[in-house]
Amino acid sequence: MNLGIIGAGATGLTAAWDAVRAGHQVTVLEAAGELGGLAASLEVGGVPLERYYHHIFRSDKAMIALIGELGLGDALRFHRTTTGIYRGGELIDFSTPFDMLRFPGFSPLDAVRFAGSSALLKAVRDGGRRYNDVTALAWLRRYAGRRATAAIWEPLLRGKFGDRAEEVSMAWLWARVHCRTFELGYVDGGFERVYAALRDGVQEYGGKVEFGKAVRRIRQEGDTPVVSCADGSTYRFDHLIVTTPQPAFAEAAGLPADSAVRRNQYLGATCFVLELDRSAIPYYWLNINEPDFPFLAVVEHTRMIDPAVYGGRHVLYVGTYVEREDWRFTTEPGELLHAFLPYLRRINPEFEMSWIKDWHFSKAGFAQPVVTPRYRELIPAHETPMSRVTLATMAQIHPQDRGQNYAVEMARRVTASLGLR
């Protein structure tokens, strides 16, 4: 089979790797000039680093298996990291169950309810079904308690989903608590090594990975999918797998406004990578539980990976999810960084612009699906109105959230269903 794949992220490259080893002719078309999709990398100190903070968990079996399959198993290391919460002008340790139980302002009953509800979410195995029709904040207020919800959960949900926080399904939150582990995995030299190994493997088997191929139109002539790109090139395939966000596919395919592919809603994401000459926070991950802050999380990557790897630079991510019309998405990056500085100083009063030796900014328009109780019924099938075109995007993952592991898992499910493995 002559197979076309749109998108050189985790889903597209894994599907290509499976298909090309099964003897199929494969061409991957990528609009950008880099691999990885939302896991694409820039460089700090000559070493690849993800544009948006990335790690995996010990429970991410599909990704771990792929890394081993590519001969990179020895490069995957798991780390015990630390977590904090910024609230009320204070940094609060939140790394261990003991930290959680002694959260400031909690009564003994608050602590017990918070711990009990968290343990329940870990224990329940069918939360995607059980909690699908319940909103997260309603469930949390009932079981975790109003005080714990107001102090911990609600600021996180509002920071991520904004005005849509009250609508978020408990199934989404259950998956994030149930499926995650305290140890985080990272590949020496970054996840870029995984995507480069996939690309190289595809090419060694005779496949192609082509960059700068922004898709403008997808149509099907008889049994032949035809892809037209912005650079004027045209491709014809026996079958096509599309891994781009659903709205981009719907636009390229000219699908009607009431198409199932157009129903899901997404938030955008913005993320700074700051190269600092010193550490800024005492944690790997810092949740921001203050409603007036313009960002959701601060992640000091070099609290997990030695700064020496990046030439002595301390790497700090400052990220958030926003509507694409929001000022944090539309503001010029240099101006946005200066707008963020007073908030970084609230976290660390000593923080100065002079600490920043270099910085990078990335944004993505379709980064986070808004998972409401109706979300599951809105997920389109992998089959599309075009009989030889298959859709495989992160918004079709449920109740687990988007992520490298589930992208790999979905790619393998799709290639198996198409008889491409």
Side-chain angles (χ1 to χ4, degrees):
M1 178 188 292
N2 178 20
L3 175 68
I5 297 175
I6 298 176
T11 305
L13 288 173
T14 301
W17 170 240
D18 285 348
V20 78
R21 287 184 300 154
H24 301 284
Q25 180 181 341
V26 177
T27 302
V28 180
L29 304 176
E30 170 56 50
E34 56 194 10
L35 297 163
L38 286 174
S41 295
L42 43 82
E43 284 194 358
V44 175
V47 176
L49 175 78
E50 294 72 34
R51 292 182 176 276
Y52 306 90
Y53 36 85
H54 275 77
H55 50 244
I56 64 172
F57 301 91
R58 282 201 179 272
S59 53
D60 287 345
K61 303 301 184 185
M63 187 64 175
I64 292 170
L66 177 64
I67 290 169
E69 193 176 295
L70 295 169
L72 295 172
D74 290 343
L76 175 61
R77 304 183 193 280
F78 284 87
H79 309 264
R80 275 277 182 178
T81 59
T82 55
T83 300
I85 288 178
Y86 179 79
R87 181 174 181 267
E90 296 182 24
L91 295 174
I92 303 167
D93 294 345
F94 206 68
S95 299
T96 68
F98 181 69
D99 291 335
M100 298 171 190
L101 288 172
R102 63 175 188 174
F103 194 84
F106 278 14
S107 69
L109 178 59
D110 295 328
V112 168
R113 293 187 69 180
F114 176 77
S117 61
S118 300
L120 176 62
L121 295 177
K122 278 291 187 184
V124 168
R125 294 186 176 276
D126 62 343
R129 177 191 60 80
R130 180 181 298 192
Y131 299 133
N132 184 70
D133 298 330
V134 181
T135 62
L137 285 173
W139 189 94
L140 291 165
R141 286 168 184 145
R142 179 177 180 183
Y143 291 99
R146 289 190 172 273
R147 186 173 298 176
T149 299
I152 296 174
W153 293 116
E154 187 170 349
L156 296 178
L157 285 164
R158 292 198 182 281
K160 186 157 194 169
F161 293 102
D163 294 338
R164 305 295 300 274
E166 293 281 356
E167 304 171 46
V168 173
S169 169
M170 188 61 200
W172 175 84
L173 185 61
W174 165 81
R176 293 178 71 86
V177 174
H178 180 80
C179 301
R180 299 189 169 192
T181 60
F182 284 106
E183 288 187 304
L184 306 182
Y186 194 74
V187 173
D188 292 343
F191 288 107
E192 169 78 10
R193 292 183 64 187
V194 177
Y195 300 111
L198 284 170
R199 176 203 60 205
D200 294 346
V202 168
Q203 293 175 339
E204 286 170 8
Y205 276 90
K208 299 177 182 177
V209 180
E210 301 186 13
F211 297 97
K213 297 294 182 179
V215 172
R216 287 293 175 263
R217 188 180 178 197
I218 300 171
R219 65 188 189 278
Q220 188 167 303
E221 297 178 354
D223 287 337
T224 303
V226 181
V227 178
S228 301
C229 298
D231 65 359
S233 58
T234 300
Y235 297 82
R236 295 173 179 271
F237 301 108
D238 297 324
H239 199 95
L240 179 67
I241 298 176
V242 180
T243 71
T244 55
Q246 290 171 200
F249 167 63
E251 192 67 26
L255 299 182
D258 61 352
S259 168
V261 176
R262 292 187 184 270
R263 290 184 300 194
N264 287 327
Q265 297 180 331
Y266 294 76
L267 295 174
T270 69
C271 191
F272 282 101
V273 176
L274 306 182
E275 298 184 31
L276 308 179
D277 63 3
R278 69 200 74 186
S279 175
I281 59 174
Y283 310 104
Y284 167 70
W285 189 286
L286 181 66
N287 288 315
I288 306 299
N289 284 29
E290 289 285 0
D292 66 322
F293 265 61
F295 45 83
L296 171 68
V298 179
V299 180
E300 189 159 321
H301 177 77
T302 40
R303 287 283 178 179
M304 178 172 69
I305 306 300
D306 193 323
V309 171
Y310 305 102
R313 294 286 170 87
H314 296 256
V315 175
L316 192 74
Y317 288 99
V318 182
T320 197
Y321 295 92
V322 291
E323 301 284 354
R324 290 178 294 281
E325 299 79 19
D326 189 277
W327 67 274
R328 290 164 292 180
F329 197 85
T330 60
T331 299
E332 187 274 327
E335 182 181 343
L336 186 64
L337 177 58
H338 279 277
F340 281 8
L341 282 175
Y343 298 91
L344 292 171
R345 290 193 187 103
R346 282 171 60 180
I347 295 169
N348 182 342
E350 296 181 359
F351 193 96
E352 296 290 345
M353 187 69 181
S354 62
W355 292 15
I356 303 174
K357 299 308 176 186
D358 202 356
W359 59 269
H360 315 267
F361 178 78
S362 302
K363 66 180 180 178
F366 303 99
Q368 173 64 59
V370 181
V371 185
T372 66
R374 291 192 62 231
Y375 187 84
R376 184 167 59 180
E377 66 188 65
L378 298 178
I379 298 173
H382 291 299
E383 297 79 17
T384 73
M386 301 178 187
S387 61
R388 300 295 180 114
V389 178
T390 298
L391 183 65
T393 77
M394 68 178 180
Q396 291 167 291
I397 298 168
H398 183 273
Q400 292 80 13
D401 203 10
R402 62 192 168 66
Q404 296 176 99
N405 180 70
Y406 301 109
V408 170
E409 194 174 79
M410 179 173 60
R412 301 209 130 155
R413 185 171 64 248
V414 166
T415 53
S417 71
L418 295 173
L420 297 173
R421 294 185 66 183

